[in-house]
Amino acid sequence: MSKKDNGAALILAYLNEKNRPYSAQDVFSNLQKQHGLGKTAVVKAMELLALEGKIKEKIYGKQKIYFADQAQFKDVNDADLKSMDHQISELIGEVQSLTQSCRQLDAELKELNSSLTTEEMVSEIQELKAECSGYRARLEKIKSASNHITPEEKDKVYKERDLYVKEWKKRKRLASDMINSILEGYPKSKKEFLKLEWRLMRTVK
């Protein structure tokens, strides 16, 4: 069988198997990767098959549509159609169930891949034990130290801090009021005044 005849046979078998309408472009796209058929060869083969009556051809505007010759298939009654619909529904349900199972298995696989192995868990436990031992040693060292600050001393330090902060805020407010009073009659900006003050302070030092 020549390559040309082989291509026509492939296309005929494909159309009979799928039993749905296709354009030449559709058939070329679906078969060229697997069988290496060229577009021109596909177009000629489909035209030849239609001419020989092996497939049917319909023209819609500028496009040609090809499909299997329905005369070769036996007639289907209503009972057969209902049976096919039932089978299709069952298959769809089975596909959905399998898809869900695959998703669950994929999720479990990802979880297992992200989990630690037994060796990794043992290693991490040892590291944590070593870290805990270090913390215990530091705690014991702190407990045994003789220079702890008593609660009374701590309270005294906080009170002195509060006193100094209060005094600092008071002096800051007085200084700000003084600067604002001076600026009322100062011809330049506050920024210029502060620069002058800073230079004077450096001179005094």
Side-chain angles (χ1 to χ4, degrees):
M1 183 181 293
S2 67
K3 186 175 181 181
K4 178 180 177 181
D5 293 335
N6 186 47
L10 283 171
I11 293 170
L12 178 60
Y14 179 75
L15 291 177
N16 287 335
E17 177 189 357
K18 300 301 181 182
N19 195 20
R20 52 163 293 182
Y22 286 106
S23 67
Q25 177 63 43
D26 294 331
V27 174
F28 165 70
S29 300
N30 296 338
L31 297 181
Q32 65 93 18
K33 186 174 181 180
Q34 183 178 359
H35 300 286
L37 299 178
K39 185 175 181 180
T40 302
V42 169
V43 172
K44 289 183 178 180
M46 296 183 76
E47 289 177 347
L48 179 61
L49 287 170
L51 187 63
E52 293 174 347
K54 294 180 179 178
I55 62 174
K56 296 299 181 181
E57 174 187 271
K58 290 288 184 181
I59 300 176
Y60 296 95
K62 296 182 179 180
Q63 188 175 26
K64 292 182 179 180
I65 299 298
Y66 300 91
F67 53 91
D69 183 6
Q70 300 301 302
Q72 65 182 308
F73 303 113
K74 66 179 182 178
D75 293 334
V76 181
N77 55 38
D78 291 340
D80 291 335
L81 288 174
K82 288 181 180 180
S83 176
M84 289 179 184
D85 288 339
H86 180 68
Q87 290 178 5
I88 289 171
S89 297
E90 288 183 342
L91 289 172
I92 290 174
E94 186 177 349
V95 168
Q96 291 175 343
S97 177
L98 289 172
T99 301
Q100 183 64 26
S101 298
C102 287
R103 288 176 180 171
Q104 291 177 353
L105 290 172
D106 186 55
E108 292 176 8
L109 179 60
K110 288 180 179 178
E111 185 177 354
L112 288 172
N113 287 333
S114 62
S115 302
L116 295 175
T117 63
T118 303
E119 292 78 9
E120 290 172 337
M121 290 180 68
V122 170
S123 176
E124 186 164 342
I125 290 171
Q126 290 176 345
E127 290 178 3
L128 289 172
K129 285 182 177 179
E131 190 174 349
C132 288
S133 298
Y135 286 139
R136 289 196 191 96
R138 288 179 60 187
L139 181 60
E140 292 299 327
K141 186 176 180 181
I142 292 171
K143 287 181 178 179
S144 62
S146 59
N147 59 344
H148 292 302
I149 298 176
T150 64
E152 292 78 14
E153 291 174 329
K154 183 178 180 181
D155 187 55
K156 181 181 177 182
V157 169
Y158 278 114
K159 286 182 178 179
E160 289 179 352
R161 173 187 175 278
D162 292 339
L163 180 64
Y164 292 143
V165 169
K166 184 177 180 181
E167 185 64 24
W168 171 78
K169 289 182 178 179
K170 179 180 177 182
R171 294 188 181 187
K172 181 182 179 183
R173 185 170 60 252
L174 290 173
S176 179
D177 292 341
M178 290 174 61
I179 290 173
N180 290 333
S181 297
I182 295 172
L183 288 174
E184 289 180 1
Y186 190 70
K188 297 183 179 181
S189 65
K190 183 178 181 180
K191 186 176 180 181
E192 292 293 331
F193 174 75
L194 292 175
K195 285 183 179 180
L196 175 62
E197 183 184 24
W198 182 75
R199 286 199 295 269
L200 290 174
M201 289 176 65
R202 290 191 63 185
T203 302
V204 172
K205 287 182 180 180

